[in-house]
């Protein structure tokens, strides 16, 4: 690489990052240098270096803690980081003024933009002479140079030039370019900095330890950081300087540390540039899985879950294993959370429409609840119409088509057709008013769900209505009273609503091999009062082992198809 001994005027160059580089960057470059080689022996060794990296340490904000290992908790680290990010956003206008004076007039400038992180100044070493750059013959004496433009505002000059101390390291531009697209672009983009022996990098004091650790990793693939806070600092530095291999390494180390709700929420609240990086996806996925598992049973942690931030509630509600009574309960919970965190209707509609609405699986809500959705003011009317129609169309599909739609979404991010592990199993209901009040209820149970009923378990269906009263089905594993063996039973119950009595004709049926048609199993009449149930302890007339066996005629493609027909006769 060409080196220049010319005395050049300092030029501030924006060193940001390409917004897509973190997710697509590899750890190699056209240099052909292997990314997995160990060059620790060459770190800060002049015999193996072609550049001098001059690191100017700038002061942090007064309250910012410098030592990541000194934080009392990972939340302490997060609060300090967030304060710093907020202050940097406030100072964005000032930063833009500085950069506008010193941005190179080049199409490559866009590649160095980074609005989420503070800009880092790369400055050529040599000072100007009387405001004229002797290394640029086209400069005219007496005309203002870049440094004069900066000095025109004393406050801006102070912000840009206050330096606590300077550290100098010997570096290999070839090695750094091979490990980082940022350094590769810096050393090969044809700008004057690519020809200079001495390059100055400005970082804040809080970033120094992480940056030095990052350089060590680029040479020797090892880190001294071991605590979550220190590893997060290195991760942030690796993101800024586009060292994907270090981001993956930090992500792996953080995943191997004990996860807590506090740390999981922090990993999901990292800056957007970090979250979008492919190298960090395994960490964020682990954080989401931890939260989903920890808050699996929402009823036990209702207050905690209601206080979760948006990223946390999204992780919990995205889970298929969420233990809730029904999707109706999920809908009610989402509304409650949104009303707490977004008291303004306009903001609430926005977050429900863009983020939370897609987490509600409307096709598994009851028709009664879907009617209430249509009149809910919290959602945009166009959105409610869309999701309710989609849910009703799904309910009207044949079981085969429903399974096809579910399979199509099973591997995607939107899982509105995927059924959760509800406490009350969804049912499909067909209602008739004439010639009699009648309803036909379909309940499907998976083989594994039935297996979990042994030896004395039971599973309940969602409520359905007939004649203004709520009913439910319940499947049991019972002990046959006559033969003393376990068997499968099905029961019909009426929800408790006063002392109203209902005389109901009912019939239980199930699909069976080899015809795969519904076959009647049991008929009866019963006068229901609140809380009463009726049914048959051994619906199929066979022992539990035969019912669950590989040759069982009761399961078709792993599904037990049950049907109950209820009729009220005048």
């Amino acid at each position: 690489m060409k080196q220049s001994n010319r005395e050049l005027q300092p030029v501030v160059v924006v060193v940001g990052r390409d917004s897509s580089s973190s997710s697509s960057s590899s750890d190699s470059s056209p240099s052909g240098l292997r990314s997995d080689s160990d060059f620790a022996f060459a770190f800060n060794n002049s015999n193996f270096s072609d550049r001098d990296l001059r690191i100017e340490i700038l002061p942090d904000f007064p309250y910012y803690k410098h030592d990541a290992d000194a934080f009392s908790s990972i939340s302490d680290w997060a609060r300090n980081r967030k304060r710093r990010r907020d202050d940097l956003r406030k100072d964005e206008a000032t930063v833009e003024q500085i950069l506008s004076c010193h941005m190179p007039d080049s199409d490559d400038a866009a590649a160095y933009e980074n609005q989420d992180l503070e800009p880092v100044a790369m400055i050529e070493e040599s000072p100007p002479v009387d405001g004229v750059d002797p290394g640029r013959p086209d400069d005219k004496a007496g005309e203002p140079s870049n440094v004069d433009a900066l000095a025109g505002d004393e406050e801006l000059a102070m912000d840009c030039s206050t330096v606590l101390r300077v550290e100098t390291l010997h570096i290999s531009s070839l090695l750094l370019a091979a490990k980082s697209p940022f350094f590769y672009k810096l050393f090969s983009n044809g700008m004057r900095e690519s020809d200079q022996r001495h390059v100055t990098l400005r970082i804040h004091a809080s970033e120094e330890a992480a940056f030095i650790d990052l350089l060590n990793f680029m040479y020797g693939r090892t880190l001294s950081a071991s605590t979550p806070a220190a590893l997060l600092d290195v991760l942030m530095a690796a993101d800024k300087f586009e060292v994907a291999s270090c981001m993956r390494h930090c992500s792996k180390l953080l995943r191997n540390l004990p996860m807590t709700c506090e740390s999981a929420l922090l990993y999901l609240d990292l800056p957007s540039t970090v979250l979008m990086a492919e190298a960090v996806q395994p960490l964020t996925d682990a954080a989401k899985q931890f939260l989903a598992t920890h808050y699996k049973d929402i009823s036990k942690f209702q207050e905690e879950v209601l206080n979760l931030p948006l990223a946390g509630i999204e992780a919990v509600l995205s889970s298929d294993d969420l233990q809730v009574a029904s999707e109706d309960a999920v809908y009610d919970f989402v509304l409650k959370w949104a009303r707490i965190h977004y008291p303004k209707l306009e903001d609430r509609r926005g977050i429900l429409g863009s983020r939370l609405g897609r987490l509600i699986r409307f096709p598994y809500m009851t028709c009664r609840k879907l009617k209430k959705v249509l009149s809910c003011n919290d959602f945009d009317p166009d959105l409610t119409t869309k999701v309710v129609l989609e849910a009703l169309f799904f309910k009207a599909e044949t079981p085969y088509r429903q399974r096809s739609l579910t399979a199509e979404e099973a591997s995607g991010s939107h899982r509105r057709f995927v059924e959760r592990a509800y406490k009350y199993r969804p049912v499909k209901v067909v209602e008739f008013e004439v010639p009699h009040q009648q309803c036909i209820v379909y309940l499907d149970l998976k083989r594994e769900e039935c297996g979990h009923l042994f030896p004395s378990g039971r599973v309940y269906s969602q409520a359905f209505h007939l004649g203004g009263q709520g009913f439910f089905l319940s499947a049991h594993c019972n002990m046959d009273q006559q033969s003393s063996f376990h068997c499968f039973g099905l029961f019909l119950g009426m929800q408790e609503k006063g002392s109203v009595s209902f005389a109901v004709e009912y019939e239980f049926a199930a699909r069976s091999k080899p015809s795969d048609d519904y076959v009647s199993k049991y008929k009866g009449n019963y006068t229901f009062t609140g809380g009463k149930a009726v049914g048959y302890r051994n619906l199929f007339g066979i022992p539990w082992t035969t019912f669950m066996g590989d040759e069982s005629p009761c399961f078709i493609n792993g599904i037990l198809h049950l049907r109950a027909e209820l009729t009220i006769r005048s």
Side-chain angles (χ1 to χ4, degrees):
M1 182 175 289
K2 179 182 177 182
Q3 297 179 5
S4 173
N5 295 320
R6 295 178 298 174
E7 296 292 325
L8 294 179
Q9 162 189 330
V11 177
V12 180
V13 178
V14 186
V15 292
R17 53 188 295 282
D18 187 357
S19 60
S20 62
S21 60
S22 289
S23 59
S24 60
S25 300
S26 64
D27 299 327
S28 61
S29 74
S31 66
L33 190 66
R34 286 176 57 87
S35 63
D36 57 351
S37 303
D38 186 351
F39 296 101
F41 65 89
F43 180 64
N44 199 21
N45 189 324
S46 60
N47 294 325
F48 300 96
S49 305
D50 64 334
R51 302 291 180 106
D52 288 331
L53 178 61
R54 188 171 180 269
I55 307 173
E56 294 185 353
I57 311 300
L58 304 180
D60 279 305
F61 296 102
Y63 51 75
Y64 194 85
K65 296 182 181 181
H66 291 193
D67 187 0
D69 293 329
F71 290 130
S72 59
S73 69
I74 198 168
S75 61
D76 190 14
W77 180 95
R79 283 192 295 270
N80 278 271
R81 275 286 177 181
K82 189 174 191 310
R83 285 195 204 105
R84 182 175 180 189
R85 291 209 306 266
D86 291 342
D87 279 323
L88 287 167
R89 291 191 183 99
K90 293 176 183 177
D91 292 341
E92 190 176 29
T94 300
V95 171
E96 287 178 354
Q97 291 181 58
I98 298 173
L99 299 183
S100 66
C101 297
H102 302 281
M103 274 292 290
D105 186 13
S106 167
D107 292 337
D108 292 332
Y112 290 93
E113 290 179 359
N114 182 7
Q115 297 178 357
D116 292 323
L117 298 173
E118 66 273 17
V120 184
M122 298 290 295
I123 306 177
E124 296 176 7
E125 171 100 341
S126 305
V129 179
D130 297 330
V132 180
D133 182 355
R136 294 179 59 189
D138 56 337
D139 276 348
K140 298 180 180 180
E143 290 190 0
S145 64
N146 286 342
V147 70
D148 290 332
L150 179 61
D153 188 320
E154 293 181 2
E155 183 178 351
L156 296 183
M158 184 177 296
D159 290 340
C160 185
S161 61
T162 302
V163 176
L164 295 177
R165 68 181 186 282
V166 176
E167 302 288 343
T168 302
L169 298 174
H170 302 295
I171 61 169
S172 166
S173 60
L174 179 65
L175 189 146
L176 296 186
K179 300 298 181 72
S180 161
F182 165 80
F183 285 108
Y184 176 76
K185 286 180 288 186
L186 179 68
F187 294 135
S188 63
N189 65 1
M191 296 170 60
R192 288 180 298 157
E193 292 76 17
S194 62
D195 291 335
Q196 300 309 304
R197 169 76 184 184
H198 305 285
V199 180
T200 299
L201 172 66
R202 286 184 170 180
I203 61 175
H204 288 91
S206 60
E207 299 174 303
E208 181 182 4
F211 180 68
I212 297 300
D213 218 2
L214 174 64
L215 290 178
N216 272 293
F217 180 87
M218 295 172 74
Y219 275 82
R221 301 189 66 79
T222 60
L223 290 175
S224 61
S226 59
T227 65
L231 286 170
L232 283 169
D233 275 341
V234 177
L235 176 64
M236 302 279 276
D239 172 68
K240 181 187 294 187
F241 295 101
E242 305 178 53
V243 187
S245 60
C246 188
M247 295 183 72
R248 283 193 295 270
H249 187 67
C250 291
S251 175
K252 180 180 178 181
L253 293 177
L254 287 167
R255 294 200 311 275
N256 291 337
L257 293 174
M259 186 86 73
T260 64
C261 293
E262 183 184 67
S263 62
L265 290 171
L266 174 59
Y267 300 152
L268 297 179
D269 192 42
L270 291 170
S272 59
T273 55
V274 181
L275 292 176
M276 290 188 297
E278 183 180 354
V280 183
Q281 289 304 304
L283 177 63
T284 55
D285 290 343
K288 292 175 183 177
Q289 183 59 46
F290 177 87
L291 291 173
T293 302
H294 183 78
Y295 294 115
K296 185 177 181 178
D297 189 347
I298 287 184
S299 61
K300 292 182 179 179
F301 304 97
Q302 188 170 87
E303 291 304 317
E304 287 186 45
V305 179
L306 283 174
N307 289 322
L308 288 177
L310 179 60
I313 198 70
E314 286 182 314
V316 173
L317 296 181
S318 296
S319 173
D320 296 341
D321 299 322
L322 196 63
Q323 292 181 353
V324 288
S326 65
E327 197 65 28
D328 291 4
V330 175
Y331 170 82
D332 290 336
F333 192 88
V334 169
L335 279 187
K336 188 174 183 180
W337 184 93
R339 287 166 180 168
I340 292 173
H341 293 266
Y342 295 87
K344 293 183 179 180
L345 177 60
E346 183 179 357
D347 296 338
R348 188 160 63 249
R349 281 189 172 185
I351 204 67
L352 288 171
S354 62
R355 302 285 289 272
L356 294 181
R358 61 184 178 83
L359 301 178
I360 303 172
R361 303 181 185 184
F362 292 95
Y364 292 98
M365 291 174 60
T366 62
C367 291
R368 284 199 166 199
K369 199 68 170 182
L370 288 174
K371 291 179 181 178
K372 294 183 178 180
V373 174
L374 287 173
S375 59
C376 179
N377 192 44
D378 296 80
F379 285 88
D380 182 90
D382 292 337
L383 177 62
T384 56
T385 301
K386 177 181 179 296
V387 296
V388 170
L389 285 176
E390 183 180 65
L392 293 176
F393 279 125
F394 178 82
K395 290 177 179 293
E397 292 284 4
T398 62
Y400 171 78
R401 179 57 182 161
Q402 288 178 343
R403 289 193 294 272
S404 297
L405 291 171
T406 301
E408 290 173 6
E409 284 204 336
S411 59
S413 57
H414 297 287
R415 302 173 66 80
R416 60 190 184 280
F417 297 138
V418 179
E419 189 175 337
R420 303 186 203 263
Y422 301 112
K423 181 179 179 181
Y424 302 116
R425 306 300 297 136
V427 292
K428 183 175 182 179
V429 183
V430 181
E431 299 182 48
F432 302 92
E433 290 294 331
V434 291
H436 307 285
Q437 284 187 313
Q438 182 184 43
C439 69
I440 301 174
V441 184
Y442 297 88
L443 172 65
D444 293 346
L445 299 175
K446 299 176 183 177
R447 181 187 287 271
E448 53 267 30
E449 290 178 310
C450 294
H452 292 157
L453 296 178
F454 184 84
S456 57
R458 61 186 62 188
V459 62
Y460 296 94
S461 77
Q462 290 181 355
F464 53 91
H465 293 79
L466 177 67
Q469 293 297 312
F471 291 85
F472 62 90
L473 295 174
S474 61
H476 297 226
C477 178
N478 307 287
M479 181 67 73
D480 186 277
Q481 293 178 334
Q482 295 181 349
S483 305
S484 297
F485 55 72
H486 288 91
C487 53
F488 179 86
L490 184 64
F491 295 83
L492 171 67
M494 188 174 83
Q495 294 178 321
E496 293 188 37
K497 284 193 175 181
S499 57
V500 178
S501 297
F502 262 75
V504 177
E505 287 184 7
Y506 63 94
E507 178 183 5
F508 295 154
R511 290 180 65 188
S512 300
K513 297 175 181 177
S515 66
D516 289 352
D517 293 331
Y518 280 98
V519 177
S520 178
K521 297 296 182 182
Y522 187 74
K523 292 183 178 181
N525 293 276
Y526 190 74
T527 300
F528 285 92
T529 56
K532 298 296 183 179
V534 65
Y536 199 61
R537 295 181 65 87
N538 190 353
L539 186 68
F540 296 99
I542 56 177
W544 184 265
T545 53
T546 305
F547 166 71
M548 290 297 298
D550 293 337
E551 302 300 323
S552 172
C554 306
F555 293 93
I556 300 174
N557 296 324
I559 303 294
L560 176 66
H561 300 273
L562 303 172
R563 185 184 72 189
E565 184 175 326
L566 284 68
T567 306
I568 298 177
R569 300 188 183 276
S570 56

